Amino acid sequence: MRMKSCPRCEASIDDSARFCSQCGAPQNEEAAEELDQYVKRQAEQVAAGSGGGGGSGGASGSGDITAADVFGVAAEELTEREQLWRRGTYVLGYATIVVALTQITNPGAWLLLLGGIAILPPTRRLLGLPVGGTFKREAMAGLYVVFVVLGAALFFVL
């Protein structure tokens, strides 16, 4: 039995082997073409299984959490008002976090930090995943206000 080395990983393989036993790389054009066809079939099955995407749907049938579950629907699918709300909450949330981090030695900064995190859209979705949806914007805005008011009060008291 003759041996040759794999051009990809340099492992010793049988001369008649179509794929490397170490890294799985195809060893001839025919094997490479077969692998390419297999990958295309798998990609088509995955695309067909996802139902073509779209919508703000929950988790897929397998129970996996998708990026759409965490980050929500694509920006193109949001109304102008929803896009404005999302941009505003990102600005408000990150600005609050920056202010809190610059004053981190003050105990009130920790409440500001929590408020900044609470208003961010991904937080709203992540906290809502266990209950099967997202928390209402108004609830998260209320939570933000509570944290910011308590944080500001601690700033002035201490």
Side-chain angles (χ1 to χ4, degrees):
M1 192 185 301
R2 292 183 20 202
M3 300 294 273
K4 67 178 182 177
S5 67
C6 173
R8 182 173 178 201
C9 70
E10 298 182 10
S12 295
I13 55 173
D14 183 44
D15 198 26
S16 63
R18 297 181 54 207
F19 297 94
C20 175
S21 60
Q22 296 297 314
C23 70
Q27 298 300 308
N28 57 38
E29 289 297 319
E30 191 176 290
E33 207 169 292
E34 180 183 332
L35 180 62
D36 188 45
Q37 291 300 321
Y38 174 76
V39 169
K40 285 180 183 176
R41 282 193 310 272
Q42 293 293 9
E44 289 171 1
Q45 287 178 353
V46 168
S50 69
S56 61
S60 64
S62 65
D64 295 336
I65 296 174
T66 64
D69 292 328
V70 176
F71 297 109
V73 295
E76 308 85 50
E77 297 176 17
L78 297 175
T79 65
E80 195 171 311
R81 183 176 177 188
E82 290 169 331
Q83 286 180 8
L84 182 61
W85 172 264
R86 183 176 282 184
R87 285 187 208 120
T89 56
Y90 273 117
V91 169
L92 188 62
Y94 285 125
T96 306
I97 290 170
V98 168
V99 168
L101 290 175
T102 60
Q103 302 294 322
I104 200 68
T105 57
N106 189 316
W110 292 98
L111 291 171
L112 288 177
L113 187 62
L114 288 174
I117 292 170
I119 196 73
L120 294 174
T123 304
R124 185 168 66 95
R125 287 183 199 86
L126 284 171
L127 290 175
L129 282 177
V131 294
T134 59
F135 287 133
K136 298 276 185 199
R137 291 184 290 214
E138 295 80 10
M140 297 309 281
L143 188 61
Y144 170 79
V145 169
V146 168
F147 280 133
V148 169
V149 167
L150 288 174
L154 280 177
F155 265 124
F156 292 114
V157 170
L158 299 179

